[in-house]
């Protein structure tokens, strides 16, 4: 930014904010420029004539804070560059220019509406194929069925089968085989097959690795969950068998297109029906507002003469049937009148002595709202608080519309959110893990991560020992879309929609051109560190993309999250899947701008647990295709990203002690030719989105591994006092532990308890605190790990003396 422009920034941007800031509009409705002319809204016209995901470079984090304060729609993406910090924002060309005029360095686009169009075209083709495949029972075509030997005579089975419904990612084939001629099918084993795709095309189903078997089979039967079945002979392939122990294949890759919230919810519902012994489908108690809007129409083009009307009923409930016209009576000295016939509202405009129309926008608004029959149907308003002194123009019959474009398969009613509970014992006795996705609607990859995770857990349970341990020893809750209404709106109406669809705006901000600027940012609507408590990163403006809502927990979607973790207090771990940028984060997630007052940091032991777990979890993410999450993008939210007031991870940690992480899936992709990293954006091509879903599903499974280790941890930690520095008259020391653990200590010779001082962090990303004494000092201490195991089985609230003791000597 150029500091010489600082004095004019706020005034200019606020002038722009009086107009639509986060819009994406198609007729009817226009936005106004600061010159009073009508300007196009965020039209999806491609090639930077419409909305783009733009790069902005600021000098330091104070620039990010300024953008947040202005209400700029920032992505969760921060990257240090040579001349400052690169952030990304959703901007129209007018908004980009306004920021440039304020001195911000707005650069090129990462993606625009052309990318959205390509994604939707690809998705439409896939959906047509899915519809055709689901129309009837599938036909199975056998390709190969062989057994063979390898590795010390170990027997393996290879089967390849093509399904006529194979393009549908929900098609699951299961193979069962006998243990030799004359034995029963199934006596040799059963395994689920994997879908094999190449270049985005379904090829066939197979075992991703040959299955180790104990006897040569004669026949195999392959069945499909779509109804198909085939039994075939199994032949021998190649050399003589050699004996070796093998593992059954781990089945993965269950998503093959971007899915809206209706599809995602149907997917987990079908899993619950297919695996009733391992699952429970939970209807969350608060229904959303729904994918619905009031119907609207706008008349006029100049701000002083614009009238817009909004139906009292939702468009889907009759609002779309209302019409309105502004009629020139064609005679002199006619009065202004309003007539209603059924759902047709006719405004007969007033004329002067020469027969010219004389009704102003304000007069038309007053007349429409003052007519009892018209007022039952609609509300009329002037444009964004304008006095409406301009004379209106006649207008033909115009039908009000809610402008919603989703197909009829997407219900307009309040949405029933559902969570899938997975576990062999679902009685609250096991440690619970909450995996949730798509708080932000435009993050299309994240629900795929949740779906893929659920599929892997259920379809590998029967054969994979590690999966069986996770399902047996944990209580897993998966909520694949926290924001179903926004998901539908992003998929079908405005792909950059971040929030839900609930409109809290008054008439001054509720005209049709502003419809893409309505909604609540669900990840700013929680009760801890909220904008309403003075924390940075949320907004109280109803048209801001970080709008926190009219109050804390105002939204049913947020209350559903809180209900789930309160209803099931055994939940001790959580993962909030977002995109994009390749971050791995945890609390604290918010600070107050003044003095950068951060929410209380987690204690030293918990921070060590976060870091140790990160090493394992991110290694699992890397296994899929080598993606490495940078150390600089790993850590507390406030350290590596920015302040996010009222986010859900803080809600769950500070109110309930739930150890929670945030994934930002979609790490930057490195180009070895240019030697530069490239951001992938919210909605990359599905080929890239698929890979992100696979690798971060790996991460979710790893989080379950971490949770299970916690649940089964009975090992007591060990700790040591470590001298850091000695100098005349003073000795500095700290403590080390064998695993992440908190250390309680005393320096006055007293017995250490939970009320004693606790070893702290030295500072942000600085490791453990050090202590300095200036005389010979007896240090008493004990350690306790995250699972509650106390070193040496010491009882801090008892009378035992089996704590650690050491004298720190002074030179």
């Amino acid at each position: 930014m150029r500091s010489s422009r600082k004095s004019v920034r706020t005034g200019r941007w606020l002038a722009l904010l009086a107009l639509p800031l986060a819009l994406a509009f198609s007729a009817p409705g226009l936005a106004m420029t600061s010159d009073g002319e009508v300007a196009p809204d965020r039209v999806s016209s491609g090639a930077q004539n419409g909305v783009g995901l733009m790069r902005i470079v600021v000098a330091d984090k104070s620039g990010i804070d300024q953008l947040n304060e202005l209400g700029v729609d920032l992505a969760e993406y921060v990257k240090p560059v040579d001349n400052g910090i690169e952030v990304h924002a959703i901007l129209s060309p007018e908004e980009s220019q306004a920021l440039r005029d304020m001195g911000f360095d707005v650069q090129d686009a990462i993606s625009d509406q052309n990318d959205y169009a390509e994604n939707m075209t690809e998705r439409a083709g896939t959906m047509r194929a899915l519809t055709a495949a689901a129309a009837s029972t599938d036909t199975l075509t056998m390709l190969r069925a062989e057994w063979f030997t390898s590795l010390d005579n170990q027997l393996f089975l290879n089967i390849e089968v093509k399904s006529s419904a194979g393009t549908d990612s929900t098609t699951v084939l299961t193979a069962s085989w006998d243990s030799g001629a004359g034995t029963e099918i199934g006596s040799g084993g059963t395994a689920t097959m994997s879908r094999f795709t190449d270049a985005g095309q379904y090829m066939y189903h197979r075992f991703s690795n040959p299955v180790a078997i104990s006897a040569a089979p004669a026949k195999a039967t392959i069945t499909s969950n779509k109804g198909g079945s085939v039994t075939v002979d199994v032949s021998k392939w190649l050399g003589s068998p050699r004996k070796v122990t093998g593992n059954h294949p781990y089945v993965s890759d269950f998503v093959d297109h971007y899915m809206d919230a209706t599809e995602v919810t149907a997917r987990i519902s079908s899993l619950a029906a297919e695996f009733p012994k391992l699952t429970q489908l939970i209807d969350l108690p608060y229904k959303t507002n729904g994918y619905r809007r009031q119907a609207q129409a706008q008349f006029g083009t100049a701000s002083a003469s614009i009238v817009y009307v909004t139906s009292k009923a939702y468009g889907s409930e009759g609002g779309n049937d209302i019409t309105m016209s502004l009629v020139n009576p064609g005679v002199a000295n006619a009065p202004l009148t309003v007539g209603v016939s059924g759902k047709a509202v006719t405004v007969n405009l007033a004329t002067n002595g020469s027969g010219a129309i004389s009704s102003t926008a304000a007069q038309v608004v007053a007349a429409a709202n003052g007519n009892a029959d018209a007022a039952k149907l609609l509300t009329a308003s002037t444009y964004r608080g304008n006095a409406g002194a301009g004379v209106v123009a006649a207008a033909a019959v115009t039908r009000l519309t809610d402008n919603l474009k989703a197909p009829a398969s997407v219900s307009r009613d309040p949405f029933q959110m559902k969570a899938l509970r997975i576990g062999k014992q679902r009685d609250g006795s096991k440690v619970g893990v909450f995996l949730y996705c798509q708080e932000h609607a435009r993050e299309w990859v994240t629900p795929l991560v949740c779906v893929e995770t659920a599929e892997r857990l259920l379809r590998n349970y029967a054969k994979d020992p590690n999966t069986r341990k996770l399902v047996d020893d944990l209580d897993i809750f998966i909520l694949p879309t926290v924001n179903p209404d926004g998901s539908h709106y992003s998929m079908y109406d405005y792909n950059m929609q971040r929030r839900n669809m609930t409109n809290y705006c008054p008439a001054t901000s509720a005209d049709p051109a502003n419809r893409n600027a309505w909604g609540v940012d669900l990840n700013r609507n929680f009760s801890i560190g909220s904008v309403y408590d003075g924390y940075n990163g949320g907004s109280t403006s109803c048209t801001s993309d970080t709008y926190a809502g009219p109050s804390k927990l105002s939204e049913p979607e947020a209350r559903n999250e809180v209900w789930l973790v309160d209803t099931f207090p055994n939940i001790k771990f959580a993962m909030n899947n977002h995109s994009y940028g390749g971050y791995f984060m945890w609390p604290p997630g918010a600070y107050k701008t003044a003095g950068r007052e951060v929410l209380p940091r987690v204690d030293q032991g918990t921070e060590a647990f976060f870091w140790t777990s990160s090493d394992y979890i991110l290694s699992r993410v890397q296994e899929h295709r080598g993606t490495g999450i940078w150390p600089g993008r790993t850590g507390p939210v406030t350290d590596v990203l920015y302040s996010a007031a009222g986010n859900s991870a803080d809600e769950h940690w500070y109110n309930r002690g739930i150890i929670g992480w945030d994934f930002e899936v979609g790490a930057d992709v490195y180009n070895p030719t240019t030697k530069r990293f490239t951001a992938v954006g919210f909605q990359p091509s599905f080929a890239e989105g698929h890979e992100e879903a696979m690798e971060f599903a790996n991460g979710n499974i790893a989080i379950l591994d971490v949770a299970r280790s916690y649940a089964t941890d009975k090992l007591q930690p060990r700790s040591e006092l470590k001298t850091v520095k000695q100098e005349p008259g003073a000795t500095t020391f700290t403590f080390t532990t064998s695993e992440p653990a908190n250390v309680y200590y005393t320096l006055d010779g007293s017995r250490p308890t939970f009320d004693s001082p606790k070893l702290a962090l030295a500072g942000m990303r600085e490791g453990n605190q050090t202590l300095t004494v200036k005389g010979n000092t007896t240090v008493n201490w004990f350690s306790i790990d995250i699972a509650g195991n106390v070193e040496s089985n010491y009882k801090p609230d008892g009378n035992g003396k089996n704590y650690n003791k050491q004298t720190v000597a002074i030179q």
Side-chain angles (χ1 to χ4, degrees):
M1 295 178 293
R2 299 186 293 275
S3 59
S4 62
R5 308 189 68 92
K6 183 176 181 180
S7 62
V8 297
R9 288 176 190 151
T10 301
R12 288 186 180 180
W13 189 253
L14 288 178
L16 184 66
L17 286 180
L19 314 172
L21 170 62
L23 318 175
F25 174 68
S26 57
L30 296 171
M32 307 302 297
T33 68
S34 55
D35 298 325
E37 297 298 323
V38 176
D41 188 18
R42 287 182 169 180
V43 180
S44 300
S45 53
Q48 292 314 299
N49 293 322
V51 178
L53 181 60
M54 307 294 292
R55 304 176 200 273
I56 304 176
V57 175
V58 296
D60 52 37
K61 284 198 172 182
S62 66
I64 301 176
D65 293 341
Q66 290 182 40
L67 291 169
N68 268 320
E69 290 166 5
L70 290 171
V72 174
D73 182 4
L74 292 177
E76 284 87 348
Y77 184 90
V78 174
K79 179 173 77 173
V81 293
D82 291 342
N83 55 337
I85 300 174
E86 177 183 318
V87 295
H88 299 163
I90 311 301
L91 299 171
S92 68
E94 291 82 5
E95 291 162 0
S96 294
Q97 189 57 52
L99 286 175
R100 292 187 181 105
D101 290 344
M102 291 182 214
F104 286 90
D105 183 8
V106 182
Q107 300 186 355
D108 59 324
I110 295 165
S111 64
D112 63 17
Q113 298 297 323
N114 286 328
D115 304 300
Y116 166 70
E118 290 173 4
N119 272 328
M120 292 306 291
T121 298
E122 179 183 15
R123 181 180 185 277
T126 302
M127 294 304 295
R128 285 193 295 270
L130 295 180
T131 301
S136 60
T137 299
D138 62 338
T139 299
L140 303 184
T141 302
M142 176 55 59
L143 303 181
R144 306 187 72 92
E146 302 131 326
W147 65 267
F148 62 97
T149 60
S150 182
L151 301 174
D152 298 325
N153 293 323
Q154 169 65 46
L155 277 68
F156 293 92
L157 177 65
N158 175 77
I159 297 177
E160 299 167 4
V161 185
K162 189 171 185 178
S163 165
S164 61
T167 55
D168 182 348
S169 62
T170 66
T171 301
V172 178
L173 302 190
T174 302
S176 300
W177 54 93
D178 62 22
S179 53
T183 61
E184 293 183 358
I185 294 291
S187 62
T190 300
T192 303
M193 305 183 72
S194 297
R195 290 176 66 252
F196 171 46
T197 61
D198 187 47
Q201 300 296 312
Y202 167 72
M203 305 302 287
Y204 48 85
H205 279 70
R206 63 179 184 181
F207 299 133
S208 55
N209 293 296
V211 176
I213 55 178
S214 57
K219 290 185 179 294
T221 297
I222 298 86
T223 57
S224 168
N225 65 334
K226 303 295 185 183
S229 179
V230 63
T231 298
V232 297
D233 294 331
V234 181
S235 60
K236 181 182 178 183
W237 172 252
L238 299 180
S240 300
R242 294 177 295 168
K243 187 175 181 180
V244 72
T245 301
N247 294 321
H248 291 286
Y250 185 83
V251 184
S252 61
D253 193 357
F254 296 98
V255 295
D256 65 358
H257 67 284
Y258 286 126
M259 293 185 282
D260 66 30
T262 296
E263 294 174 88
V264 166
T265 304
R267 185 72 166 268
I268 65 167
S269 299
S270 68
L271 286 174
E274 188 176 352
F275 296 94
K277 294 183 179 180
L278 297 177
T279 65
Q280 174 188 352
L281 197 62
I282 301 172
D283 283 345
L284 300 182
Y286 304 104
K287 288 189 177 182
T288 70
N289 188 58
Y291 174 75
R292 56 184 182 175
R293 286 270 170 83
Q294 273 77 20
Q296 294 185 303
Q298 184 168 301
F299 303 89
T301 57
S303 58
S305 60
I306 288 177
V307 173
Y308 78 89
V309 293
T310 304
S311 65
K312 293 290 181 66
Y314 287 107
S316 56
E317 297 175 354
N320 288 336
D321 299 326
I322 300 170
T323 64
M324 183 168 172
S325 59
L326 307 182
V327 177
N328 183 345
V331 297
N333 297 316
L336 173 61
T337 62
V338 176
V340 178
S341 175
K343 290 190 175 183
V345 179
T346 302
V347 179
N348 292 294
L349 301 172
T351 58
N352 59 21
S354 63
I357 294 173
S358 59
S359 295
T360 66
Q363 291 169 340
V364 171
V365 167
N369 291 337
N371 181 283
D373 291 331
K376 292 177 182 178
L377 297 174
L378 52 78
T379 300
S381 306
T382 58
Y383 187 75
R384 300 191 181 179
N386 192 283
V391 175
V392 301
V397 174
T398 301
R399 184 174 296 277
L400 278 63
T401 175
D402 60 13
N403 278 298
L404 297 178
K405 301 176 179 64
S409 59
V410 174
S411 171
R412 269 60 173 172
D413 294 332
F415 195 91
Q416 176 62 67
M417 294 171 59
K418 296 177 184 290
L420 182 65
R421 187 180 188 182
I422 299 174
K424 185 177 181 180
Q425 291 179 255
R426 302 180 301 279
D427 56 6
S429 63
K430 301 294 185 180
V431 168
V433 185
F434 179 30
L435 307 175
Y436 57 110
C437 295
Q438 204 177 28
E439 282 184 335
H440 291 151
R442 63 195 178 196
E443 298 168 6
W444 291 5
V445 176
T446 61
L448 305 185
V449 177
C450 273
V451 167
E452 176 70 20
T453 303
E455 290 272 6
R456 291 186 188 183
L457 289 172
L458 294 171
R459 301 206 184 280
N460 288 293
Y461 178 82
K463 293 297 181 181
D464 179 62
N466 184 63
T467 301
R468 189 157 47 252
K469 291 176 183 177
L470 296 179
V471 175
D472 286 353
D473 295 342
L474 295 173
D475 197 357
I476 304 161
F477 300 82
I478 299 180
L479 179 56
T481 176
V482 178
N483 189 356
D485 300 344
S487 164
H488 291 131
Y489 197 76
S490 176
M491 188 73 75
Y492 299 108
D493 298 278
Y494 173 53
N495 67 305
M496 286 302 175
Q497 177 77 4
R498 170 186 173 102
R499 295 160 285 167
N500 69 6
M501 290 180 62
T502 306
N503 178 18
Y504 288 103
C505 285
T508 51
S509 303
D511 56 276
N514 245 352
R515 71 179 179 277
N516 290 338
W518 300 328
V520 176
D521 181 346
L522 298 177
N523 205 32
R524 300 296 185 273
N525 189 234
F526 291 90
S527 68
I528 295 296
S530 168
V531 65
Y532 293 108
D533 299 317
Y535 285 83
N536 180 268
S539 174
T540 57
S541 168
C542 69
T543 56
S544 168
D545 246 6
T546 56
Y547 177 46
S551 62
K552 301 175 185 179
L553 295 173
S554 61
E555 302 311 289
E557 299 92 336
R559 294 199 302 275
N560 277 334
E561 274 193 43
V562 170
W563 176 88
L564 189 69
V565 295
D566 282 346
T567 302
F568 302 100
N570 59 317
I571 294 176
K572 304 298 182 185
F573 293 85
M575 166 51 72
N576 185 5
N577 291 271
H578 281 266
S579 75
Y580 61 98
Y583 291 83
F584 190 60
M585 302 177 291
W586 53 84
Y591 57 75
K592 295 179 180 178
T593 301
R596 202 178 184 276
E597 180 186 339
V598 180
L599 282 168
R601 291 186 176 274
V602 303
D603 59 35
Q604 176 276 137
T606 305
E607 180 81 353
F609 181 81
F610 274 127
W611 279 106
T612 302
S613 301
S614 298
D615 183 71
Y616 175 72
I617 294 165
L618 298 182
S619 295
R620 293 294 307 274
V621 170
Q622 192 176 43
E623 285 177 7
H624 178 69
R625 58 169 179 172
T627 298
I629 304 303
W630 304 347
R633 293 187 178 181
T634 302
V637 175
T638 53
D639 294 358
V640 302
L641 190 59
Y642 48 59
S643 179
N647 70 80
S648 61
D650 285 347
E651 167 77 26
H652 303 325
W653 166 250
Y654 291 102
N655 280 341
R656 300 163 191 87
I658 294 173
I659 296 172
W661 288 275
D662 295 297
F663 269 145
E664 292 285 347
V665 313
D668 290 358
V669 177
Y670 184 70
N671 186 323
T673 302
T674 62
K675 298 183 178 180
R676 295 185 62 181
F677 284 94
T678 303
V680 297
F682 295 113
Q683 298 148 19
S685 67
F686 181 75
E688 167 61 25
H690 171 270
E691 294 302 290
E692 294 172 16
M694 294 302 105
E695 61 192 359
F696 284 93
N698 277 8
N700 274 350
I701 298 297
I703 287 167
L704 299 178
D705 285 334
V706 169
R708 181 179 177 275
S709 294
Y710 165 92
T712 58
D713 182 10
K714 303 300 180 185
L715 185 65
Q716 299 165 3
R718 302 183 306 279
S719 61
E720 294 181 356
L721 187 152
K722 179 181 178 182
T723 299
V724 176
K725 181 173 64 175
Q726 281 188 311
E727 53 189 9
T731 296
T732 300
F733 66 94
T734 189
F735 299 94
T736 61
T737 57
S738 59
E739 60 174 295
N742 281 309
V743 175
Y744 292 84
Y745 64 90
T746 63
L747 303 179
D748 60 1
S750 63
R751 183 176 179 276
T753 69
F754 288 127
D755 293 325
S756 302
K758 181 165 62 173
L759 185 68
L761 292 165
M764 184 179 74
R765 303 169 80 87
E766 292 182 22
N768 290 352
Q769 168 192 28
T770 58
L771 305 170
T772 299
V773 294
K774 297 184 178 180
N776 291 343
T777 302
T778 298
V779 182
N780 298 329
W781 80 93
F782 69 92
S783 63
I784 177 172
D785 66 17
I786 303 303
N789 298 305
V790 180
E791 184 173 7
S792 301
N793 202 30
Y794 172 63
K795 299 187 183 307
D797 54 355
N799 297 312
K801 301 293 184 181
N802 56 328
Y803 49 80
N804 297 304
K805 178 185 295 187
Q806 184 171 326
T807 299
V808 176
I810 304 301
Q811 289 183 344

